[in-house]
Structure formats: C-alpha cells, structure tokens
Amino acid sequence: MSHVLAIDAGTGSVRAALFTLDGAYVGVASRPWVHDAEAGVPGSMSFATDRNYGLLVECIREVLAVTNTPASAVQALSAGAMREGIVVLDAAGKEVWACANVDSRADAEVVDLQGRPGLLEEVYRRSGQTFALAAQPRLLWLARHRPELYERAHRVIMLSEWVLHRLGAAPAMEPSNGSTSGMIALATRAADPELASMCGLRDDLLPEVQEPGGRVGRLSTAAARDTGLTAGTVLAVGGGDAQVAALGLGLTRPGQVLLTAGTFWQLNVNIGTAVTHPEMAVRVNAAAVPGLWQAEAIAFHPGTAVRWFRDTFAAPEVEAARASGRNPLDVLTEAAAEVPIGSRGVIPIFSDVMNYRRWTHAAPSFLNLDLEGGPGLRAAMFRSLLENAAIVTSANLEHVATFAPVRDDEPVVFAGGAASSSMWSQIVADVLNRPLRVPAVTEAAAQGTAACAAASVGALGTPADCAGWVRWEREVEPDPDRHEQYLDVRRRWQSAYDVQRDLMLAGVTTPMWHAPGS
C-alpha cells in the first residue's frame, strides 16, 4: 500500500505522521524539542537547525519502524510548522541564523519601525501582520547586531519549508506560513518586495512562492541515508500549522470557524476576501487554500496554565492519579465538574482578549481566593482556568465577527488536546452559545499536511479535496441557561482584568507575555 509522510514541526515537538494515500491515519512518532535563549540576548528563542534536524530524522525512522512500513511505500513527504519562525540561508543554501515563533529579541527594532509615521498601518493593510512577530524587525536586528550574518543572507524561509529544504528541496515559501512573516501581500499571496524595503531591508531575500501541494524537489541522497527513506521521494509544500489543520478538517469555505486548543488557543475564521480589521485587533493570514484567508485571534497559554497548575498546586491529585494509574488532569477535571459555574468566585488572570496592535497580557494570578483552602479551592481554581479559556475565545470571536462574516448555520470545529475533554468541550459550547463539532482525528495539522503530499502525487486533485478523509467523533450542544450564567462570569472577569492590565502597564507587575514593542 502507498503512503505519504507528514512532518508537523510544532512549538514544543516535532512529529512524523504516516497516512495512506486515501487518508487513513497509520501512526506517528514524536520528539520534544526546546528553543534556546542566545546568551546575552534578552527575549531570544533560537532554533537549533542541526540538533532539530537530528530529532526530525529520529521521528521519520521511528514511524517507519513502528508501523512496519517500507521506505519504498512512501510516495511523498510534506511539512507543516509553527508559524513566524524563520531560517536565514546563505547562497550555498546553508543555515546561518534561525529563530522560533515567539522570539522577541527585536524589541528596539519594533519600537523603531512603529515610530515611523504610517508604516505600521501600511504594513498591516498590505500583509495582515503587525511587527509583533514578523520577520522585518528580526532581520533588522540581525543587520544591526550580527552584520556579518546579514551580509551572508541570501534567502529567508519559514520553518515548514526549512524541513523540506533540509531534506533536499530548493528554498521556497508558501502563502499560509509565509504570510506570518509580514512580507507576503495578502491580496496576491505573493512576496511583496516593498514590505521589506520600506523597513530598510533588502528586497531580494524571499524565494519563489508556491501554493500548498506543489512539488518543490525530491529527497536527496544524503537525506535518504539519514532518514531511511528512498532517494527521489517527492517533497511537497505544506503550510502553517493552524492553516493546514483547517485544511485537514475540510474547512475550506468562508465563514467556517476552527478553534484549535493546545498550548495556545487559536481561533481561525475563514474569509473570502483579503480584508483586515479596522482597528488592527486581530491578524489576517493566507489560508492553505488559494482564494481564501483566515482572521486569527489567539488566547495565550491556556494549555500552559493548566499544566502549570497541575505541577504547582495539585500534588494531592497527582499522587492520587499515580496510585490509580490515571491522568492527573482527569482527576482535576472530575473535581472541577462538581464546582458550580463561576468557580466559587475565583477570577483567573492569564491571557487577555487579543489586541494585535498592542499584544500584551497582565501578570498571571488568581483573584478572590478564600482562605478555606483544600481540595475544594483547588477544584475551583482549576475550573476557573477551563472557563476562562472559553471566555477569552468568545471575546476573540466577537472581535473577528466585527469585520468578517461568521457562519451561524454550522458548528464551530473544536480540535486539539482540550477537545478530548467532554467537560471542557461543554464549557466552550455553553460560553460561545454555539454547537461544537469534535473531529475523530487528533492529528489535524498532520492530516492537512498529508493532503498536500497526496495532491503532489496525484492522489488528490488539490489538497482541499481531502474533505472526504474527515471523520467526526461527536457534537456538543450549548445550554442557553448556562450561557446566561457565563455572561455574568465574563463581565466580572473583564472588570478585574482591566485593572490588572493597568497595573502591568504601570510597571507594578510583570506581563505574562508581551510582544516586542508592546
């Protein structure tokens, strides 16, 4: 049987997922990876290309081994990746510098660019991006602080295309991940040299732009030796992780909504025209489908906050779970289910509603704790985190709906790790007051990437033809009475958050995260 291989180069791990040519999931191998700070460079988040290539190779070899799949059965490989991360190549195609997605070293450069009259507004209008995580300030930092590396720069590529390049493809860029660089024009889905030159950068750094599913080369002999795959295997363009996840779940029409709930909660709404938010509140990216774009709003670190709570406050629940062979998060969720809506008045301060123009978050905290303590308080604190992720998402969806039509005749697709929790899914449905549809596949980004690989060898007409691959696990209906209760919870949270944000902006507290220049 013929197969395709999908590489998912995420923020915290790299995965190699194997699918049959008709979309059946076969298996996956993964490795965690970390992104090191550069000594003496505050906010840096470097991407170790050689070390991470080694982890990629391990994943490919392992998935072939555990699924007992011969290399000759793999017809094509494609790659999706975290957005915003970039790799700078020299004229010989060798990596000279790279950073991961939320590298924030270029704070001074962002302030500089934002201080130039009208520049931020023009860049956002053309690209859908601010300077928060875009490539221009990072490259400007490189030119100022590592001029010898900037002098060698020949091409800038995204991490999804770096995977393919390392395996043998020519340098390339595609619109969905490429748009998060801030140097792709939304309207044309092509490189816009002026988006570089108006920021004082060279205008010849971007390679040719190709749509997802296009062939960009074949696996090199060296990469075949490393990975165990067959030299000459087709390499195909994939895309940004959120965009290929929407593709993999069949969301290819305007107005459809995808909420991907992992470390970050990414809300993506498909839009049929390349429009931007009038107040710059959300960002707009190219989708992984020609003629389609996505308005995106992000809740920061809901998944991180849940894991942090488990590791910091929930030692009794962790011990109980260990004794019974269960997942500690399941034990915490069961306890949280006994807590009424509103979490006994506990107010969590973590992610703010997205404000792309000034992207920052108050200091992490819990407000309104009582002194009774014990398991009841821990359960209330944990439930407040679950409720709050949904509340921030609801506000983000309202932001998007002010300028992009949102379909109300079909469910919001809820994917990612949090979607496996029936309780959390119900909270999200109740807060949004929208039905949810939960996919059976847990590898949505990999499935979309696999569709790109399948299209490159003719198994699909286009990657968007993978809609027939999608299987749904369940639908979750909202409860109108609970929705009304959550409206009051949201009002209380918003009032408290406004004050906490002011304290952070005044320098009294430290932000959970802030974009460069915010």
Side-chain angles (χ1 to χ4, degrees), residues 55-130:
L55 297 173
L56 166 65
V57 165
E58 290 179 17
C59 291
I60 293 173
R61 284 191 169 273
E62 181 177 314
V63 75
L64 294 177
V66 299
T67 61
N68 197 30
T69 301
S72 59
V74 178
Q75 290 197 15
L77 178 151
S78 187
M82 65 174 109
R83 284 86 55 79
E84 301 100 20
I86 58 173
V87 179
V88 177
L89 306 175
D90 64 17
K94 177 66 178 174
E95 305 100 330
V96 298
W97 187 83
C99 71
N101 51 1
V102 291
D103 183 289
S104 59
R105 74 182 73 204
D107 192 74
E109 286 70 27
V110 172
V111 171
D112 175 6
L113 293 171
Q114 289 180 165
R116 303 179 189 182
L119 179 60
L120 174 62
E121 291 76 10
E122 180 64 10
V123 168
Y124 179 72
R125 184 188 67 80
R126 289 193 189 197
S127 71
Q129 311 297 308
T130 68

Side-chain angles (χ1 to χ4, degrees), residues 211 287 322 349 423:
E211 291 287 348
R322 183 179 296 115
I349 305 296
M423 177 186 168

Side-chain angles (χ1 to χ4, degrees), residues 221-432:
T221 301
R225 184 169 56 248
D226 293 341
T227 62
L229 294 169
T230 302
T233 300
V234 171
L235 301 174
V237 173
D241 52 8
Q243 291 100 315
V244 292
L247 171 67
L249 294 171
L251 302 180
T252 58
R253 291 181 293 148
Q256 293 179 309
V257 183
L258 170 63
L259 174 59
T260 305
T263 298
F264 301 88
W265 280 34
Q266 299 165 329
L267 180 79
N268 288 276
V269 178
N270 289 344
I271 52 181
T273 56
V275 296
T276 52
H277 192 278
E279 298 178 3
M280 216 179 295
V282 301
R283 73 174 181 177
V284 180
N285 305 317
V289 178
L292 193 68
W293 294 264
Q294 290 177 337
E296 180 177 80
I298 302 172
F300 258 58
H301 289 298
T304 307
V306 163
R307 294 189 295 272
W308 166 77
F309 182 87
R310 174 198 64 196
D311 298 340
T312 306
F313 296 102
E317 288 79 7
V318 170
E319 182 58 34
R322 183 179 296 115
S324 60
R326 301 180 64 201
N327 185 330
L329 294 178
D330 291 338
V331 175
L332 284 164
T333 300
E334 287 178 2
E338 301 301 316
V339 177
I341 287 174
S343 304
R344 284 175 40 180
V346 174
I347 301 174
I349 305 296
F350 291 88
S351 179
D352 199 353
V353 178
M354 186 160 176
N355 179 358
Y356 196 28
R357 185 172 196 132
R358 190 169 191 182
W359 206 357
T360 188
H361 304 274
S365 60
F366 288 97
L367 304 181
N368 211 32
L369 302 181
D370 61 50
L371 296 181
E372 295 179 14
L377 177 59
R378 291 195 299 275
M381 294 167 71
F382 187 75
R383 181 183 178 103
S384 77
L385 294 175
L386 308 187
E387 292 180 340
N388 189 242
I391 286 169
V392 174
T393 296
S394 177
N396 281 339
L397 183 57
E398 290 175 11
H399 266 328
V400 173
T402 61
F403 81 108
V406 176
R407 296 181 69 101
D408 57 8
D409 59 346
E410 59 182 271
V412 170
V413 173
F414 187 39
S420 64
S421 167
S422 58
M423 177 186 168
W424 212 344
S425 299
Q426 188 64 59
I427 289 173
V428 173
D430 293 342
V431 171
L432 297 183

Side-chain angles (χ1 to χ4, degrees), residues 113-179:
L113 293 171
Q114 289 180 165
R116 303 179 189 182
L119 179 60
L120 174 62
E121 291 76 10
E122 180 64 10
V123 168
Y124 179 72
R125 184 188 67 80
R126 289 193 189 197
S127 71
Q129 311 297 308
T130 68
F131 293 123
L133 297 174
Q136 294 100 324
R138 293 169 174 176
L139 293 172
L140 195 58
W141 182 94
L142 193 67
R144 290 174 175 176
H145 297 275
R146 303 288 186 272
E148 71 284 0
L149 298 182
Y150 185 73
E151 288 288 329
R152 293 171 57 195
H154 180 68
R155 289 287 182 264
V156 175
I157 60 176
M158 311 305 290
L159 293 180
S160 42
E161 285 72 62
W162 167 79
V163 170
L164 302 174
H165 176 64
R166 194 66 189 252
L167 293 174
M173 187 170 282
E174 59 76 41
S176 70
N177 202 355
S179 64

